[in-house]
Amino acid sequence: MDPGGRPVTARLSIVIPAHDEGAVIDRVLGALCDSGRRDEFEIIVAANGCTDDTAARARAYDGVQVVETPQASKIAALQAGDDAASVFPRAYVDADVRIDPDALLALADALDAPGIEVASPRLHVDTSGASWLVRQHYRIWELSDYRQSDHIGSGVYALTRAGRARFDAWPDVIADDRFVQQLFAPAERAMLADHTFSVRSAADMRAHLRRSVRIARGNRELPDRVQHQDAARPSAASRGGLARRVAARPGLWVPFAVYCVSWTLPNVLARRDIARARTRTWNRDDTSRVMA
């Protein structure tokens, strides 16, 4: 209700795909449901293939709609959430992220601008619980062209009705966020520098590499025909630019060596897996799913 007692119409649908997220789902739902602007959100939790209490925890929140699919599939969850949602713009929010409700409402504001079809807050990677090697990787990653090009997604993104109409059913891809970003030219995207969301990095390099192989494979499996190539896979020129930036800062030479290995190895392994037609697995990183 607004101050005058009138009902408030939801401004934004929030679809939260969740597979066995009972350990962290309260964080995102608690923040949304405790907000003074709760009535402006339509919240759908799409529990997929859960064997824990994710769905029960989500149903404990007043007004949260829970849909369940038996298949442990983020894509199936996104589709089920879309089918249940009734409002645009529509935000797709990973269950393990940390985000302020005001950042989500800022997405709705950004998507009111003419020509903007997809938007995301700025991504912050929390490495406070990570090993030294993982922290060095992210020191360099923050300097990469990809990171500095206002990329969309990696845990939170929102679409207008026209933006969602760029594709029909959700395709069977691993990298749903990169798939969505590449449907839009840079002028159609908005990254909100004044609003952030946070994801935890993997705790150790082994977990980081497993996650990175999945990401690299997902990026390589995206259909080229729908991609805007400006922000596709890193080019030799962008890698050269990163090397030049690091060369002027001797304190980054060791982190850069770590980054070279931690970027190259997952891409090599992803190419190998694709060439061998290995069955895709989710390989979720549970080391980053820690309540705080």
Side-chain angles (χ1 to χ4, degrees):
M1 296 287 182
D2 67 14
R6 296 178 295 273
V8 176
T9 301
R11 294 187 58 215
L12 182 75
S13 277
I14 303 172
V15 174
I16 305 173
H19 169 66
D20 286 349
E21 300 285 9
V24 295
I25 193 71
D26 289 316
R27 183 171 57 212
V28 64
L29 291 180
L32 291 171
C33 292
D34 290 344
S35 168
R37 302 177 70 179
R38 167 66 182 88
D39 289 345
E40 297 182 59
F41 299 120
E42 176 187 58
I43 305 172
I44 299 100
V45 173
N48 59 103
C50 290
T51 59
D52 69 354
D53 61 348
T54 296
R57 284 181 174 275
R59 288 194 176 96
Y61 290 89
D62 185 39
V64 172
Q65 183 178 355
V66 179
V67 295
E68 296 188 69
T69 64
Q71 182 184 6
S73 163
K74 184 179 182 182
I75 291 302
L78 289 169
Q79 189 62 56
D82 255 349
D83 292 343
S86 63
V87 175
F88 281 99
R90 190 164 298 167
Y92 304 88
V93 179
D94 286 358
D96 61 324
V97 306
R98 296 170 177 82
I99 187 165
D100 188 285
D102 287 343
L104 290 166
L105 290 170
L107 292 180
D109 292 338
L111 292 171
D112 281 339
I116 300 298
E117 306 295 354
V118 62
S120 175
R122 180 169 56 84
L123 168 63
H124 166 69
V125 179
D126 177 6
T127 61
S128 59
S131 69
W132 181 86
L133 287 172
V134 172
R135 293 198 306 273
Q136 304 321 299
H137 169 90
Y138 281 105
R139 286 181 70 187
I140 303 303
W141 181 76
E142 287 287 350
L143 302 175
S144 67
D145 286 355
Y146 174 73
R147 174 61 171 150
Q148 298 186 10
S149 63
D150 295 348
H151 74 278
I152 297 294
S154 300
V156 179
Y157 54 89
L159 293 168
T160 63
R161 183 184 298 274
R164 179 59 184 86
R166 293 281 176 96
F167 61 101
D168 295 321
W170 285 90
D172 184 19
V173 297
I174 296 174
D176 63 285
D177 50 356
R178 180 64 72 89
F179 166 78
V180 167
Q181 171 170 308
Q182 295 309 307
L183 294 173
F184 303 95
E188 297 176 306
R189 309 172 193 161
M191 194 282 290
L192 309 186
D194 294 335
H195 294 275
T196 64
F197 69 99
S198 177
V199 299
R200 289 182 68 93
S201 71
D204 54 56
M205 184 52 73
R206 181 170 184 158
H208 172 82
L209 291 174
R210 285 199 303 267
R211 174 196 279 182
S212 296
V213 169
R214 174 179 60 81
I215 293 171
R217 180 167 178 173
N219 290 342
R220 290 184 174 277
E221 289 181 339
L222 290 176
D224 287 337
R225 62 185 174 81
V226 300
Q227 293 190 48
H228 287 278
Q229 296 300 322
D230 65 287
R233 300 161 198 140
S235 66
S238 67
R239 291 193 294 271
L242 177 60
R244 287 189 294 274
R245 287 192 290 273
V246 170
R249 301 169 63 180
L252 294 178
W253 292 354
V254 171
F256 185 64
V258 173
Y259 178 84
C260 287
V261 174
S262 57
W263 185 89
T264 302
L265 183 58
N267 280 275
V268 170
L269 294 176
R271 286 196 297 269
R272 182 201 64 183
D273 288 351
I274 292 171
R276 294 180 179 178
R278 287 190 173 179
T279 301
R280 292 186 298 178
T281 56
W282 182 242
N283 289 333
R284 187 175 78 169
D285 170 35
D286 287 321
T287 70
S288 65
R289 282 168 165 77
V290 179
M291 276 292 283

Short mmCIF file of all heavy atoms in Angstrom, two decimals, residues 20-77:
data_model
loop_
_atom_site.label_atom_id
_atom_site.label_comp_id
_atom_site.label_asym_id
_atom_site.label_seq_id
_atom_site.Cartn_x
_atom_site.Cartn_y
_atom_site.Cartn_z
N ASP A 20 18.63 -26.42 -4.98
CA ASP A 20 19.24 -26.74 -3.67
C ASP A 20 19.94 -25.52 -3.07
O ASP A 20 21.11 -25.56 -2.70
CB ASP A 20 20.22 -27.92 -3.81
CG ASP A 20 19.51 -29.25 -3.98
OD1 ASP A 20 18.28 -29.30 -3.79
OD2 ASP A 20 20.18 -30.25 -4.30
N GLU A 21 19.19 -24.43 -2.97
CA GLU A 21 19.73 -23.17 -2.44
C GLU A 21 19.20 -22.87 -1.04
O GLU A 21 19.16 -21.71 -0.62
CB GLU A 21 19.41 -22.02 -3.38
CG GLU A 21 19.96 -22.16 -4.79
CD GLU A 21 21.47 -21.90 -4.87
OE1 GLU A 21 22.11 -21.77 -3.79
OE2 GLU A 21 22.00 -21.83 -5.98
N GLY A 22 18.81 -23.91 -0.31
CA GLY A 22 18.27 -23.70 1.02
C GLY A 22 19.22 -22.98 1.96
O GLY A 22 18.79 -22.27 2.86
N ALA A 23 20.53 -23.12 1.73
CA ALA A 23 21.51 -22.49 2.61
C ALA A 23 21.60 -20.98 2.41
O ALA A 23 22.07 -20.27 3.30
CB ALA A 23 22.89 -23.11 2.38
N VAL A 24 21.17 -20.48 1.24
CA VAL A 24 21.35 -19.05 0.94
C VAL A 24 20.08 -18.34 0.50
O VAL A 24 20.08 -17.11 0.41
CB VAL A 24 22.44 -18.86 -0.15
CG1 VAL A 24 23.79 -19.32 0.35
CG2 VAL A 24 22.07 -19.58 -1.45
N ILE A 25 18.99 -19.05 0.23
CA ILE A 25 17.81 -18.42 -0.36
C ILE A 25 17.21 -17.36 0.57
O ILE A 25 16.62 -16.37 0.11
CB ILE A 25 16.74 -19.48 -0.73
CG1 ILE A 25 15.66 -18.89 -1.62
CG2 ILE A 25 16.15 -20.12 0.52
CD1 ILE A 25 16.10 -18.58 -3.02
N ASP A 26 17.38 -17.54 1.90
CA ASP A 26 16.81 -16.55 2.82
C ASP A 26 17.47 -15.19 2.67
O ASP A 26 16.83 -14.15 2.96
CB ASP A 26 16.96 -17.03 4.26
CG ASP A 26 16.05 -18.20 4.59
OD1 ASP A 26 14.87 -18.14 4.20
OD2 ASP A 26 16.51 -19.17 5.21
N ARG A 27 18.71 -15.17 2.24
CA ARG A 27 19.42 -13.89 2.12
C ARG A 27 18.74 -13.00 1.09
O ARG A 27 18.43 -11.84 1.36
CB ARG A 27 20.88 -14.13 1.76
CG ARG A 27 21.72 -12.87 1.69
CD ARG A 27 23.17 -13.24 1.54
NE ARG A 27 23.42 -14.07 0.36
CZ ARG A 27 24.37 -15.01 0.28
NH1 ARG A 27 25.15 -15.24 1.31
NH2 ARG A 27 24.52 -15.71 -0.83
N VAL A 28 18.51 -13.52 -0.09
CA VAL A 28 17.94 -12.68 -1.14
C VAL A 28 16.45 -12.44 -0.89
O VAL A 28 15.96 -11.31 -1.06
CB VAL A 28 18.18 -13.31 -2.54
CG1 VAL A 28 17.48 -14.63 -2.71
CG2 VAL A 28 17.76 -12.34 -3.64
N LEU A 29 15.72 -13.46 -0.44
CA LEU A 29 14.29 -13.26 -0.20
C LEU A 29 14.06 -12.36 1.01
O LEU A 29 13.13 -11.54 1.01
CB LEU A 29 13.60 -14.60 0.00
CG LEU A 29 13.50 -15.49 -1.24
CD1 LEU A 29 12.78 -16.79 -0.90
CD2 LEU A 29 12.78 -14.78 -2.38
N GLY A 30 14.88 -12.49 2.04
CA GLY A 30 14.73 -11.64 3.20
C GLY A 30 14.92 -10.17 2.86
O GLY A 30 14.15 -9.30 3.30
N ALA A 31 15.93 -9.89 2.04
CA ALA A 31 16.18 -8.51 1.65
C ALA A 31 15.02 -7.94 0.85
O ALA A 31 14.59 -6.79 1.05
CB ALA A 31 17.47 -8.42 0.84
N LEU A 32 14.47 -8.73 -0.05
CA LEU A 32 13.36 -8.26 -0.88
C LEU A 32 12.08 -8.08 -0.07
O LEU A 32 11.38 -7.07 -0.20
CB LEU A 32 13.12 -9.24 -2.03
CG LEU A 32 14.20 -9.32 -3.11
CD1 LEU A 32 13.93 -10.48 -4.06
CD2 LEU A 32 14.29 -8.01 -3.89
N CYS A 33 11.79 -9.06 0.76
CA CYS A 33 10.51 -9.04 1.46
C CYS A 33 10.50 -8.08 2.65
O CYS A 33 9.43 -7.66 3.10
CB CYS A 33 10.15 -10.45 1.91
SG CYS A 33 9.76 -11.55 0.51
N ASP A 34 11.66 -7.74 3.17
CA ASP A 34 11.73 -6.77 4.26
C ASP A 34 11.80 -5.33 3.75
O ASP A 34 11.76 -4.38 4.55
CB ASP A 34 12.97 -7.04 5.12
CG ASP A 34 12.84 -8.32 5.94
OD1 ASP A 34 11.70 -8.82 6.06
OD2 ASP A 34 13.86 -8.83 6.43
N SER A 35 11.89 -5.16 2.44
CA SER A 35 11.99 -3.82 1.87
C SER A 35 10.70 -3.05 2.07
O SER A 35 9.59 -3.59 2.00
CB SER A 35 12.29 -3.92 0.37
OG SER A 35 12.14 -2.67 -0.27
N GLY A 36 10.84 -1.76 2.31
CA GLY A 36 9.67 -0.91 2.42
C GLY A 36 8.91 -0.75 1.11
O GLY A 36 7.80 -0.24 1.10
N ARG A 37 9.52 -1.22 0.03
CA ARG A 37 8.88 -1.14 -1.29
C ARG A 37 8.52 -2.53 -1.82
O ARG A 37 8.48 -2.77 -3.02
CB ARG A 37 9.81 -0.40 -2.25
CG ARG A 37 10.17 1.00 -1.76
CD ARG A 37 11.14 1.71 -2.67
NE ARG A 37 10.55 2.08 -3.94
CZ ARG A 37 11.19 2.73 -4.92
NH1 ARG A 37 12.46 3.09 -4.74
NH2 ARG A 37 10.59 3.02 -6.04
N ARG A 38 8.24 -3.45 -0.89
CA ARG A 38 7.95 -4.84 -1.25
C ARG A 38 6.83 -4.95 -2.28
O ARG A 38 6.88 -5.81 -3.17
CB ARG A 38 7.57 -5.61 0.03
CG ARG A 38 6.93 -6.99 -0.20
CD ARG A 38 7.90 -7.95 -0.84
NE ARG A 38 7.30 -9.25 -1.10
CZ ARG A 38 6.66 -9.55 -2.22
NH1 ARG A 38 6.53 -8.63 -3.18
NH2 ARG A 38 6.16 -10.75 -2.41
N ASP A 39 5.81 -4.08 -2.18
CA ASP A 39 4.66 -4.18 -3.08
C ASP A 39 5.03 -3.90 -4.53
O ASP A 39 4.22 -4.16 -5.43
CB ASP A 39 3.55 -3.22 -2.66
CG ASP A 39 2.85 -3.65 -1.37
OD1 ASP A 39 3.02 -4.82 -0.97
OD2 ASP A 39 2.16 -2.81 -0.76
N GLU A 40 6.22 -3.36 -4.76
CA GLU A 40 6.62 -3.06 -6.14
C GLU A 40 7.29 -4.25 -6.82
O GLU A 40 7.65 -4.16 -7.99
CB GLU A 40 7.56 -1.85 -6.14
CG GLU A 40 6.90 -0.57 -5.63
CD GLU A 40 7.82 0.63 -5.69
OE1 GLU A 40 8.28 0.96 -6.80
OE2 GLU A 40 8.07 1.23 -4.62
N PHE A 41 7.42 -5.36 -6.10
CA PHE A 41 8.04 -6.56 -6.66
C PHE A 41 7.01 -7.69 -6.81
O PHE A 41 6.23 -7.94 -5.89
CB PHE A 41 9.15 -7.09 -5.76
CG PHE A 41 10.28 -6.14 -5.53
CD1 PHE A 41 10.60 -5.71 -4.25
CD2 PHE A 41 11.06 -5.69 -6.59
CE1 PHE A 41 11.65 -4.84 -4.02
CE2 PHE A 41 12.11 -4.83 -6.37
CZ PHE A 41 12.42 -4.40 -5.10
N GLU A 42 7.06 -8.36 -7.94
CA GLU A 42 6.44 -9.68 -8.08
C GLU A 42 7.61 -10.67 -8.02
O GLU A 42 8.54 -10.59 -8.81
CB GLU A 42 5.71 -9.81 -9.41
CG GLU A 42 5.14 -11.20 -9.64
CD GLU A 42 4.55 -11.37 -11.04
OE1 GLU A 42 5.29 -11.17 -12.02
OE2 GLU A 42 3.36 -11.69 -11.14
N ILE A 43 7.58 -11.59 -7.06
CA ILE A 43 8.71 -12.48 -6.81
C ILE A 43 8.31 -13.93 -7.10
O ILE A 43 7.34 -14.44 -6.53
CB ILE A 43 9.22 -12.37 -5.36
CG1 ILE A 43 9.55 -10.92 -5.02
CG2 ILE A 43 10.44 -13.26 -5.16
CD1 ILE A 43 9.86 -10.70 -3.55
N ILE A 44 9.06 -14.56 -7.99
CA ILE A 44 8.84 -15.96 -8.34
C ILE A 44 10.12 -16.73 -8.11
O ILE A 44 11.17 -16.40 -8.67
CB ILE A 44 8.40 -16.14 -9.81
CG1 ILE A 44 7.08 -15.42 -10.07
CG2 ILE A 44 8.27 -17.62 -10.16
CD1 ILE A 44 7.23 -14.09 -10.75
N VAL A 45 10.07 -17.74 -7.26
CA VAL A 45 11.19 -18.65 -7.07
C VAL A 45 10.91 -19.90 -7.88
O VAL A 45 9.88 -20.56 -7.68
CB VAL A 45 11.40 -19.00 -5.58
CG1 VAL A 45 12.46 -20.09 -5.43
CG2 VAL A 45 11.80 -17.76 -4.80
N ALA A 46 11.82 -20.22 -8.79
CA ALA A 46 11.68 -21.40 -9.64
C ALA A 46 12.62 -22.48 -9.10
O ALA A 46 13.80 -22.53 -9.45
CB ALA A 46 12.00 -21.06 -11.09
N ALA A 47 12.08 -23.32 -8.23
CA ALA A 47 12.87 -24.39 -7.61
C ALA A 47 12.97 -25.55 -8.60
O ALA A 47 11.95 -26.10 -9.03
CB ALA A 47 12.21 -24.84 -6.32
N ASN A 48 14.21 -25.91 -8.95
CA ASN A 48 14.38 -26.94 -9.97
C ASN A 48 15.23 -28.08 -9.45
O ASN A 48 16.35 -27.89 -9.00
CB ASN A 48 14.99 -26.34 -11.24
CG ASN A 48 16.34 -25.69 -11.00
OD1 ASN A 48 17.40 -26.25 -11.33
ND2 ASN A 48 16.35 -24.48 -10.44
N GLY A 49 14.65 -29.29 -9.49
CA GLY A 49 15.35 -30.49 -9.07
C GLY A 49 15.84 -30.45 -7.64
O GLY A 49 16.86 -31.07 -7.32
N CYS A 50 15.14 -29.76 -6.77
CA CYS A 50 15.64 -29.57 -5.40
C CYS A 50 15.44 -30.84 -4.56
O CYS A 50 14.38 -31.49 -4.61
CB CYS A 50 14.93 -28.41 -4.73
SG CYS A 50 15.37 -26.79 -5.42
N THR A 51 16.44 -31.14 -3.76
CA THR A 51 16.34 -32.23 -2.79
C THR A 51 16.44 -31.69 -1.37
O THR A 51 16.48 -32.49 -0.41
CB THR A 51 17.46 -33.27 -3.03
OG1 THR A 51 18.74 -32.63 -2.93
CG2 THR A 51 17.33 -33.90 -4.42
N ASP A 52 16.51 -30.39 -1.22
CA ASP A 52 16.59 -29.77 0.10
C ASP A 52 15.31 -28.98 0.36
O ASP A 52 14.28 -29.21 -0.27
CB ASP A 52 17.85 -28.91 0.23
CG ASP A 52 17.80 -27.66 -0.64
OD1 ASP A 52 16.83 -27.50 -1.43
OD2 ASP A 52 18.72 -26.82 -0.53
N ASP A 53 15.37 -28.02 1.28
CA ASP A 53 14.18 -27.28 1.68
C ASP A 53 14.04 -25.93 0.99
O ASP A 53 13.36 -25.04 1.52
CB ASP A 53 14.18 -27.09 3.20
CG ASP A 53 15.38 -26.29 3.71
OD1 ASP A 53 16.33 -26.09 2.92
OD2 ASP A 53 15.38 -25.90 4.89
N THR A 54 14.66 -25.77 -0.19
CA THR A 54 14.58 -24.50 -0.90
C THR A 54 13.13 -24.04 -1.09
O THR A 54 12.77 -22.89 -0.77
CB THR A 54 15.27 -24.59 -2.27
OG1 THR A 54 16.66 -24.84 -2.08
CG2 THR A 54 15.09 -23.31 -3.06
N ALA A 55 12.29 -24.90 -1.63
CA ALA A 55 10.90 -24.52 -1.92
C ALA A 55 10.15 -24.18 -0.64
O ALA A 55 9.39 -23.19 -0.60
CB ALA A 55 10.20 -25.64 -2.68
N ALA A 56 10.34 -24.96 0.40
CA ALA A 56 9.64 -24.70 1.66
C ALA A 56 10.07 -23.37 2.26
O ALA A 56 9.24 -22.60 2.78
CB ALA A 56 9.90 -25.84 2.64
N ARG A 57 11.37 -23.07 2.21
CA ARG A 57 11.85 -21.80 2.73
C ARG A 57 11.25 -20.63 1.94
O ARG A 57 10.86 -19.61 2.51
CB ARG A 57 13.37 -21.75 2.69
CG ARG A 57 14.05 -22.58 3.77
CD ARG A 57 15.57 -22.46 3.67
NE ARG A 57 16.22 -23.12 4.77
CZ ARG A 57 16.45 -22.58 5.97
NH1 ARG A 57 16.08 -21.34 6.21
NH2 ARG A 57 17.05 -23.26 6.92
N ALA A 58 11.19 -20.78 0.63
CA ALA A 58 10.65 -19.70 -0.20
C ALA A 58 9.16 -19.48 0.08
O ALA A 58 8.69 -18.34 0.12
CB ALA A 58 10.88 -20.01 -1.67
N ARG A 59 8.42 -20.57 0.29
CA ARG A 59 6.98 -20.44 0.54
C ARG A 59 6.70 -19.78 1.89
O ARG A 59 5.58 -19.29 2.12
CB ARG A 59 6.32 -21.82 0.49
CG ARG A 59 6.21 -22.40 -0.91
CD ARG A 59 5.26 -23.59 -0.96
NE ARG A 59 5.11 -24.06 -2.33
CZ ARG A 59 5.81 -25.06 -2.86
NH1 ARG A 59 6.71 -25.71 -2.09
NH2 ARG A 59 5.64 -25.42 -4.10
N ALA A 60 7.67 -19.76 2.78
CA ALA A 60 7.47 -19.13 4.08
C ALA A 60 7.37 -17.62 3.99
O ALA A 60 6.94 -16.96 4.94
CB ALA A 60 8.60 -19.53 5.03
N TYR A 61 7.76 -17.05 2.85
CA TYR A 61 7.71 -15.60 2.67
C TYR A 61 6.37 -15.21 2.04
O TYR A 61 6.00 -15.73 0.97
CB TYR A 61 8.86 -15.13 1.79
CG TYR A 61 10.20 -15.23 2.46
CD1 TYR A 61 10.96 -16.38 2.37
CD2 TYR A 61 10.70 -14.16 3.21
CE1 TYR A 61 12.19 -16.49 3.01
CE2 TYR A 61 11.92 -14.26 3.85
CZ TYR A 61 12.67 -15.43 3.75
OH TYR A 61 13.87 -15.52 4.39
N ASP A 62 5.69 -14.31 2.67
CA ASP A 62 4.37 -13.88 2.21
C ASP A 62 4.45 -13.28 0.82
O ASP A 62 5.26 -12.39 0.56
CB ASP A 62 3.81 -12.85 3.20
CG ASP A 62 2.38 -12.46 2.85
OD1 ASP A 62 1.60 -13.34 2.45
OD2 ASP A 62 2.05 -11.26 2.98
N GLY A 63 3.61 -13.79 -0.07
CA GLY A 63 3.51 -13.24 -1.41
C GLY A 63 4.51 -13.78 -2.41
O GLY A 63 4.44 -13.42 -3.59
N VAL A 64 5.45 -14.61 -1.99
CA VAL A 64 6.42 -15.19 -2.92
C VAL A 64 5.78 -16.41 -3.59
O VAL A 64 5.29 -17.32 -2.92
CB VAL A 64 7.71 -15.60 -2.20
CG1 VAL A 64 8.63 -16.39 -3.14
CG2 VAL A 64 8.44 -14.37 -1.67
N GLN A 65 5.75 -16.39 -4.90
CA GLN A 65 5.21 -17.51 -5.67
C GLN A 65 6.32 -18.51 -5.94
O GLN A 65 7.41 -18.14 -6.39
CB GLN A 65 4.62 -17.01 -6.99
CG GLN A 65 3.97 -18.11 -7.82
CD GLN A 65 3.36 -17.57 -9.11
OE1 GLN A 65 3.34 -16.35 -9.34
NE2 GLN A 65 2.87 -18.45 -9.96
N VAL A 66 6.06 -19.77 -5.68
CA VAL A 66 7.04 -20.83 -5.91
C VAL A 66 6.52 -21.77 -6.98
O VAL A 66 5.39 -22.27 -6.89
CB VAL A 66 7.34 -21.61 -4.61
CG1 VAL A 66 8.34 -22.73 -4.89
CG2 VAL A 66 7.86 -20.68 -3.53
N VAL A 67 7.33 -21.96 -8.01
CA VAL A 67 7.04 -22.97 -9.02
C VAL A 67 8.15 -24.00 -8.96
O VAL A 67 9.31 -23.66 -8.71
CB VAL A 67 6.92 -22.37 -10.43
CG1 VAL A 67 5.72 -21.44 -10.51
CG2 VAL A 67 8.18 -21.60 -10.83
N GLU A 68 7.80 -25.26 -9.17
CA GLU A 68 8.78 -26.33 -9.06
C GLU A 68 8.84 -27.14 -10.36
O GLU A 68 7.81 -27.41 -10.98
CB GLU A 68 8.44 -27.26 -7.90
CG GLU A 68 8.51 -26.59 -6.54
CD GLU A 68 8.36 -27.57 -5.39
OE1 GLU A 68 9.29 -28.39 -5.20
OE2 GLU A 68 7.31 -27.53 -4.72
N THR A 69 10.05 -27.47 -10.75
CA THR A 69 10.27 -28.36 -11.88
C THR A 69 11.14 -29.52 -11.38
O THR A 69 12.05 -29.32 -10.59
CB THR A 69 10.98 -27.65 -13.04
OG1 THR A 69 12.30 -27.25 -12.62
CG2 THR A 69 10.21 -26.42 -13.48
N PRO A 70 10.87 -30.74 -11.85
CA PRO A 70 11.63 -31.89 -11.36
C PRO A 70 13.06 -31.93 -11.88
O PRO A 70 13.93 -32.54 -11.26
CB PRO A 70 10.83 -33.09 -11.86
CG PRO A 70 10.11 -32.57 -13.08
CD PRO A 70 9.78 -31.14 -12.77
N GLN A 71 13.32 -31.26 -13.00
CA GLN A 71 14.64 -31.30 -13.63
C GLN A 71 15.57 -30.28 -13.00
O GLN A 71 15.22 -29.11 -12.82
CB GLN A 71 14.51 -31.02 -15.12
CG GLN A 71 15.80 -31.08 -15.91
CD GLN A 71 15.62 -30.70 -17.36
OE1 GLN A 71 14.53 -30.28 -17.76
NE2 GLN A 71 16.67 -30.86 -18.14
N ALA A 72 16.77 -30.73 -12.64
CA ALA A 72 17.79 -29.81 -12.11
C ALA A 72 18.41 -29.06 -13.28
O ALA A 72 19.43 -29.45 -13.83
CB ALA A 72 18.86 -30.56 -11.33
N SER A 73 17.78 -27.96 -13.68
CA SER A 73 18.19 -27.22 -14.86
C SER A 73 17.86 -25.75 -14.68
O SER A 73 16.68 -25.39 -14.47
CB SER A 73 17.46 -27.75 -16.10
OG SER A 73 17.53 -26.84 -17.18
N LYS A 74 18.87 -24.89 -14.75
CA LYS A 74 18.61 -23.47 -14.64
C LYS A 74 17.74 -22.98 -15.79
O LYS A 74 16.85 -22.13 -15.60
CB LYS A 74 19.92 -22.68 -14.61
CG LYS A 74 19.71 -21.18 -14.40
CD LYS A 74 21.02 -20.42 -14.33
CE LYS A 74 20.77 -18.93 -14.07
NZ LYS A 74 22.02 -18.14 -14.05
N ILE A 75 17.97 -23.51 -16.99
CA ILE A 75 17.18 -23.11 -18.15
C ILE A 75 15.71 -23.47 -17.95
O ILE A 75 14.81 -22.66 -18.22
CB ILE A 75 17.74 -23.74 -19.43
CG1 ILE A 75 19.11 -23.14 -19.76
CG2 ILE A 75 16.78 -23.56 -20.59
CD1 ILE A 75 19.11 -21.64 -19.95
N ALA A 76 15.44 -24.68 -17.45
CA ALA A 76 14.06 -25.07 -17.18
C ALA A 76 13.45 -24.17 -16.12
O ALA A 76 12.26 -23.81 -16.19
CB ALA A 76 14.01 -26.53 -16.73
N ALA A 77 14.26 -23.77 -15.15
CA ALA A 77 13.76 -22.88 -14.10
C ALA A 77 13.45 -21.49 -14.65
O ALA A 77 12.43 -20.88 -14.29
CB ALA A 77 14.79 -22.79 -12.97
#
